[in-house]
Amino acid sequence: MRALRGALLVALILAFATGCGTGGPAEGGDANQGRKLFQTTGQCGSCHTMKDAGSSGQIGPNLDEAFQRSREEGFEQSAIKNVVLDQIRFPTTGSGMPADLVEGDDAVDVAAYVAKCAGADPNNEQDRLACQNLVTKPGGEGLYSSLGCQGCHSIDGSASSGPTFKGLFNSMVELTNGQKVKADEAYLLDSILDPDKQIVKGYQPGVMTSAVPKDSVPQDQAQELVDYIKTLR
């Protein structure tokens, strides 16, 4: 996995060196909307670490590391935006990232957001204010996006690779060992802090821990996420 991330970073560097442009220039883009898409529809945060988005995905390259050097070397945001848009349209072969996770204006918005905030220097007043002015969802709802939960758990009852969060709180769930337990607050909290502790029947262990390892979510954030799940009736 480390080798794959390294190969992807090299691909981004080569894209700069060759001028990229494989899919045409990224004109315009709403970075504020892009942040929302990064955290929800595009599910980018479930695979990529990006400090401003609050995401810690380990499957794809760390976007802060990928673009920090480019920013330090004076690359314009427009150049970074073109690279990101090309990666969305034509992901690096073997990366496991499907093409066109977001399309059209949505893809441009995500590219604009990453170009503005990936690798931003928190000690640089201009960088800090530029990203600080983008709106984020508070509390558990924001964590649902930034932790990548939306990649596996729907909030509308639709099927996914993990149980839906809609109506989950206080429902009865059957585990892989045949035991039936109540999805109360303690159960939900344990499932976030130690994802493989109790696997629901029909799902596989190791899926959630590949993105959210045991004890990687702080206790207070886990509680905020539980409080959010409790509202999804």
Side-chain angles (χ1 to χ4, degrees):
M1 186 64 68
R2 183 176 296 175
L4 174 58
R5 287 198 289 266
L8 291 173
L9 293 178
V10 170
L12 295 176
I13 294 169
L14 288 175
F16 277 121
T18 58
C20 67
T22 56
E27 297 181 357
D30 182 340
N32 189 60
Q33 178 64 14
R35 173 187 264 165
K36 296 176 185 177
L37 292 167
F38 184 98
Q39 295 175 326
T40 55
T41 307
Q43 302 178 8
C44 312
S46 62
C47 292
H48 298 282
T49 290
M50 186 168 160
K51 185 181 297 183
D52 180 78
S55 63
S56 55
Q58 301 295 310
I59 299 173
N62 180 314
L63 296 180
D64 291 318
E65 293 178 356
F67 293 112
Q68 182 178 14
R69 181 177 174 183
S70 302
R71 295 172 70 93
E72 291 173 350
E73 292 181 354
F75 283 99
E76 297 291 336
Q77 279 190 26
S78 58
I80 298 175
K81 185 164 58 174
N82 283 331
V83 169
V84 175
L85 185 59
D86 282 348
Q87 287 295 310
I88 294 171
R89 291 167 169 167
F90 311 107
T92 304
T93 302
S95 68
M97 176 177 166
D100 296 321
L101 278 172
V102 284
E103 302 178 275
D105 289 342
D106 286 350
V108 177
D109 289 344
V110 170
Y113 167 58
V114 174
K116 181 183 286 288
C117 295
D121 181 358
N123 296 316
N124 180 295
E125 185 71 6
Q126 185 175 354
D127 282 1
R128 187 179 64 80
L129 291 176
C131 295
Q132 188 180 66
N133 289 335
L134 299 179
V135 177
T136 55
K137 294 180 179 180
E141 186 177 6
L143 290 168
Y144 169 77
S145 300
S146 64
L147 292 175
C149 309
Q150 80 286 351
C152 297
H153 304 279
S154 73
I155 57 175
D156 60 2
S158 58
S160 189
S161 55
T164 182
F165 283 165
K166 183 177 182 180
L168 176 60
F169 177 62
N170 273 344
S171 67
M172 295 301 296
V173 296
E174 184 176 358
L175 306 180
T176 53
N177 62 6
Q179 181 185 6
K180 292 185 178 180
V181 298
K182 189 174 185 179
D184 56 15
E185 185 167 320
Y187 167 86
L188 294 175
L189 196 59
D190 280 348
S191 297
I192 296 169
L193 297 174
D194 187 0
D196 280 344
K197 184 176 181 179
Q198 301 181 91
I199 303 297
V200 175
K201 184 177 181 180
Y203 299 96
Q204 298 297 317
V207 175
M208 182 171 168
T209 51
S210 66
V212 185
K214 179 182 176 180
D215 295 328
S216 64
V217 180
Q219 182 86 22
D220 59 337
Q221 290 188 6
Q223 185 62 58
E224 284 187 88
L225 186 54
V226 169
D227 290 342
Y228 172 60
I229 295 172
K230 288 164 66 175
T231 69
L232 300 173
R233 302 292 185 177

